[in-house]
Amino acid sequence: MTLLTDLTALLGPAHVLTGADAHRLAHDWTGTYRGSPLAAVRPADTGEVAAVVQLAARHGIPVIPVSGNTGLTGATYTENGLLLSLERLNRIREIRPGSRLAVVEAGVILSRLHEAAEGHGLYFPLWFGARGSAMIGGVLSTNAGGSNVLRYGSTRALCLGLEVVLPDGRVLDLMSELHKDNSGYDLRDLFIGAEGTLGIITAAVMKLVPAPRAHATAALAMGSLPDALTLLNRLQEASGGLVEAFEFMPETYSRRLAQVRPDLGLPFAAIPPVTILVELGATAPFLAEPDAGGTPRLTALLQETLARAMEEGLVHDAVIAASEAQSRALWARREAAAEITFAKRPFIDTDIAVPLDRAEAFLTEIHARLAAFAPTAETLTVAHLGDGNLHFTVFPEADDPAFHDRVVETIEDVVQSLRGSFSAEHGVGLSKRNSMARRKDPVALDVMRAVKSALDPDNRMNPGKVLPE
Amino acid sequence: MTLLTDLTALLGPAHVLTGADAHRLAHDWTGTYRGSPLAAVRPADTGEVAAVVQLAARHGIPVIPVSGNTGLTGATYTENGLLLSLERLNRIREIRPGSRLAVVEAGVILSRLHEAAEGHGLYFPLWFGARGSAMIGGVLSTNAGGSNVLRYGSTRALCLGLEVVLPDGRVLDLMSELHKDNSGYDLRDLFIGAEGTLGIITAAVMKLVPAPRAHATAALAMGSLPDALTLLNRLQEASGGLVEAFEFMPETYSRRLAQVRPDLGLPFAAIPPVTILVELGATAPFLAEPDAGGTPRLTALLQETLARAMEEGLVHDAVIAASEAQSRALWARREAAAEITFAKRPFIDTDIAVPLDRAEAFLTEIHARLAAFAPTAETLTVAHLGDGNLHFTVFPEADDPAFHDRVVETIEDVVQSLRGSFSAEHGVGLSKRNSMARRKDPVALDVMRAVKSALDPDNRMNPGKVLPE
């Protein structure tokens, strides 16, 4: 029997896709990676995932898990492997508001979890532009970040338990609801961020948090990145750590936004050197209540801090959202980042992290080095500044692989000199395997390879991803 | 050459201990485990640790790392292995207040890190009774918890980077200062909590947090555990999650405290069914400032919430600390837990975690089951209630191994039926290996064994710990 016959017998013909149907699932949305899978299957539950993995093992065919396919690193690319879509594992199995947790399957779309939590007065605090398509399985497998990491941590910090189908088809039950558990090695965090190379995450226990009763959101016109960091520290100090997002958009970003999405407008009449989107969130009732002047105390706290900063010339101008609609408009300008980046081709995008106090050094140094060999290349920066996480994009004039490599290696050189990482929140996939080979501690690479071999000796789970050859 | 000759040549005779000198390091402070190591060595730095591990490998001798030796599970016990003490790796390499981090070596005593952070207006929020002896290496290797986990997480949540000497003597450099880094598998969290069985942690980058400007601490007389959880939720809601500790001491605890440490006194004239020690901490200036009546706002917030709870009969009485000395007195009663437990022998101590809403079910069920076969055995409970983490101790009348096993298995049965863990914050060591064998998902055990074999194929790093045979 062929694998396809076996799969069809197992799942039914509607859930074994080939040809154009399978290829549709093999295209990530950047359009950079277009795989050609042997087939794509859509198992209905964990048992079927395990059965598919066992069948694939018997036939010696690699398995590549895919969920929302919103990744940016080609992590679901395959030639002739079996794409395993988690989209039908889409149940929110349980929400326990008293324990503030949700038990969800890998195919649940992030925004569905947002809505479900909201229905219980709670919040799932992982937030990024692709939330309407990204699914929990992929979010966990890449340890996704986003705009709220500053306050709530990355996906790893929001996960209590996991269910994983191992490369041999056995199901690993780590579905703990506990906040403290020291019974053996931390396997959960090994599978989180492993991009499907060690097994397939099928379900998870995720933490929920109290929904903020009040938000205060503002766009700020500022003079420089160091000024922005000074302000971030003041806001954290004044609010006791209530900053949920602190997004950095320099002049080049605003210009490109005005060009590609003129409909979104800009907050300031003249484009400032730096625009910051800041959001504070408060769960305590006393911060949501109005002060003597009728302003919610959280907003008043933001206003007071900004007023002092403006007196000093640290902040040049500010637009504080007076309504939910105004807040959404401020966010729309930040969330257009991927769209305005990928609208221009070719592009060389990066996802780097540096220690917070070295973010300015990165930008100064990389622009100086690029000026030496690519003086006319446009660049674009947008950053989760509170995490030291910069998305720095270079638009070369032509699609020249040698030039591309030179740019990437130059960026890596600068990042490494600042003890940063070439991959902050998007993962490695295919696109950063060369960076792994060049920049990761060789001892760390050896340990990773030993773990991979121990768990997947035949290299059948998403082979060729994360680890360099 | 013998190993001892080699070690002496490497470290000097002052740092290779044998006989009584070595045995002193081989006794943990519970007095339960008394090992007899071949020798104990005290390397000075990471390079010497690596050289010792290489020498031991050449001679085929197991290596058992030890730091503060305040563990409760026999994790440093050895017969004829080489004890490797981290006590001389005691430098705080760097504190970077701007980035809120400390770079510390494994032999730094926890309270020294507290003091060093305080010197910069910062706080290292890991807090437990043994903080004056416990060292960072052991704290990381057991993923230690304590009283502040509710607010700040366990040790794992406080660690950004690690330096590890691998079983082959190579040094793994994971000394990241980054809050976001997705460059390959999460090796850091694999070594944290591995109790020295995968390698020896020699240094770490630890997070610091802003020091609270105000604390509000109180002892509360309450009627039951569920009432206490209701109050915890109200305090979290009213304060926006500012509860730093929520410690549960039932009547039996207070009685035993009065008996063993009468000098510490008790907060209430009549011992209530439940005494709660609660502490709130605030970093925001507006909560540290006095209100119109001159009371710091954080204290006022606690007072108001308690006043409402007392009107309803949820809280029967309360003592709010009016000074630092009064707060210390309240804490001393909680921190005497280990002392009053281990003063009576024999004891069967446990460290379990259950989902928060099942803590009462655990106590009800375990007492009912013990009544059936051990009606006269005294018990003692003290809990980090906010984490669902209970230290439940049984004092059998005689030191009967069969009875001991029956008690432990009964506790495990109840914990497992509630989807809890037999090890919340103390780890596995030797004492909970049988629990691992009986209670851990067999697939998880297989994966752990595969990881152990991959990283330590000759089983030389702290052999016989964590994983059952």
Side-chain angles (χ1 to χ4, degrees), chain B residues 19-292:
Chain B
D21 291 337
H23 284 221
R24 184 182 52 79
L25 277 171
H27 295 179
D28 72 356
W29 71 284
T30 68
T32 308
Y33 299 94
R34 295 176 166 267
S36 48
L38 174 71
V41 293
R42 300 188 301 187
D45 55 31
T46 304
E48 286 193 1
V49 173
V52 168
V53 168
Q54 281 162 10
L55 276 181
R58 204 172 307 149
H59 290 271
I61 301 290
V63 177
I64 295 87
V66 57
S67 54
N69 226 351
T70 61
L72 300 173
T73 65
T76 61
Y77 174 87
T78 179
E79 297 288 337
N80 300 319
L82 180 65
L83 269 187
L84 189 158
S85 166
L86 280 309
E87 65 191 295
R88 290 175 69 213
L89 280 79
N90 60 2
R91 289 176 307 152
I92 296 179
R93 290 185 189 167
E94 197 181 2
I95 294 210
R96 284 175 52 198
S99 304
R100 289 187 190 156
L101 59 86
V103 184
V104 294
E105 294 183 344
V108 170
I109 290 173
L110 182 52
S111 58
R112 257 193 70 214
L113 181 54
H114 288 150
E115 288 156 21
E118 207 177 293
H120 293 274
L122 294 168
Y123 180 48
F124 182 64
L126 191 72
W127 196 262
F128 51 78
R131 62 187 174 274
S133 311
M135 295 174 188
I136 296 298
V139 158
L140 283 162
S141 293
T142 58
N143 184 30
S147 303
N148 280 352
V149 172
L150 181 60
R151 177 81 171 268
Y152 299 102
S154 297
T155 305
R156 174 169 286 127
L158 300 171
C159 180
L160 292 173
L162 281 186
E163 180 185 85
V164 182
V165 172
L166 295 176
D168 61 10
R170 286 186 300 169
V171 178
L172 175 63
D173 177 5
L174 304 172
M175 290 291 272
S176 169
E177 300 173 3
L178 304 172
H179 288 262
K180 273 184 175 174
D181 186 4
N182 271 325
S183 54
Y185 303 153
D186 178 15
L187 300 181
R188 178 189 65 200
D189 289 317
L190 192 58
F191 290 98
I192 295 175
E195 303 185 23
T197 62
L198 300 177
I200 300 177
I201 295 171
T202 49
V205 181
M206 305 303 294
K207 291 184 204 171
L208 304 174
V209 302
R213 289 168 193 266
H215 279 114
T217 312
L220 313 176
M222 300 191 69
S224 73
L225 187 151
D227 281 358
L229 283 178
T230 301
L231 182 73
L232 172 60
N233 286 340
R234 290 207 198 159
L235 284 167
Q236 291 287 45
E237 200 181 316
S239 68
L242 299 184
V243 179
E244 303 220 325
F246 198 81
E247 303 290 305
F248 171 84
M249 293 164 277
E251 192 173 354
T252 47
Y253 182 92
S254 299
R255 285 196 198 293
R256 204 160 160 67
L257 180 69
Q259 195 183 331
V260 181
R261 289 295 306 271
D263 57 304
L264 294 179
L266 286 175
F268 305 107
I271 291 178
V274 167
T275 302
I276 292 291
L277 171 62
V278 62
E279 185 160 270
L280 277 68
T283 55
F286 58 86
L287 284 169
E289 287 159 9
D291 64 7

Side-chain angles (χ1 to χ4, degrees), chain B residues 1-18 38-43 48 51-52 55 59 82 88:
Chain B
M1 294 235 283
T2 70
L3 174 60
L4 289 183
T5 317
D6 285 349
L7 288 169
T8 305
L10 178 69
L11 305 173
H15 301 303
V16 181
L17 312 176
T18 54
L38 174 71
V41 293
R42 300 188 301 187
E48 286 193 1
V52 168
L55 276 181
H59 290 271
L82 180 65
R88 290 175 69 213

Side-chain angles (χ1 to χ4, degrees), chain A residues 5-188:
Chain A
T5 316
D6 285 349
L7 289 169
T8 305
L10 176 69
L11 305 174
H15 302 302
V16 181
L17 313 176
T18 53
D21 290 338
H23 283 222
R24 184 183 51 82
L25 277 170
H27 294 177
D28 73 354
W29 71 283
T30 68
T32 308
Y33 299 94
R34 297 175 166 267
S36 47
L38 175 70
V41 293
R42 300 188 301 186
D45 54 32
T46 304
E48 286 193 0
V49 173
V52 168
V53 169
Q54 281 162 10
L55 275 182
R58 203 171 307 149
H59 291 271
I61 301 290
V63 178
I64 295 88
V66 56
S67 54
N69 226 352
T70 62
L72 300 174
T73 65
T76 60
Y77 175 87
T78 179
E79 297 287 336
N80 300 319
L82 180 65
L83 269 187
L84 190 157
S85 166
L86 280 311
E87 65 191 297
R88 289 175 69 213
L89 280 80
N90 60 2
R91 288 176 309 152
I92 296 179
R93 290 185 188 165
E94 198 181 0
I95 293 210
R96 284 175 51 198
S99 304
R100 290 188 189 154
L101 60 85
V103 185
V104 293
E105 295 183 345
V108 170
I109 290 174
L110 182 52
S111 59
R112 258 192 71 214
L113 180 54
H114 288 150
E115 288 156 20
E118 205 178 295
H120 294 272
L122 294 168
Y123 180 47
F124 182 65
L126 191 72
W127 196 262
F128 50 79
R131 62 188 174 275
S133 312
M135 295 174 188
I136 297 298
V139 159
L140 283 161
S141 292
T142 57
N143 184 29
S147 303
N148 280 351
V149 171
L150 182 60
R151 175 82 171 268
Y152 299 101
S154 297
T155 306
R156 175 169 285 126
L158 300 171
C159 180
L160 292 171
L162 281 188
E163 180 186 84
V164 182
V165 172
L166 295 176
D168 61 10
R170 287 186 300 170
V171 178
L172 175 64
D173 178 4
L174 304 171
M175 289 291 273
S176 169
E177 300 174 2
L178 305 172
H179 288 262
K180 272 184 176 175
D181 186 4
N182 271 325
S183 53
Y185 304 151
D186 178 15
L187 300 182
R188 178 189 64 200

Side-chain angles (χ1 to χ4, degrees), chain B residues 409-428:
Chain B
E409 291 212 42
T410 305
I411 294 169
E412 287 173 10
D413 282 343
V414 178
V415 168
Q416 196 166 26
S417 73
L418 301 170
R419 284 193 71 88
S421 171
F422 55 84
S423 179
E425 62 174 5
H426 296 166
V428 176

Side-chain angles (χ1 to χ4, degrees), chain B residues 420-454:
Chain B
S421 171
F422 55 84
S423 179
E425 62 174 5
H426 296 166
V428 176
L430 262 188
S431 68
K432 287 176 201 142
R433 281 201 318 165
N434 289 339
S435 306
M436 283 287 278
R438 287 191 291 252
R439 307 296 173 171
K440 197 77 190 173
D441 175 25
V443 180
L445 282 177
D446 275 1
V447 175
M448 288 181 199
R449 286 195 186 97
V451 169
K452 168 74 172 173
S453 298

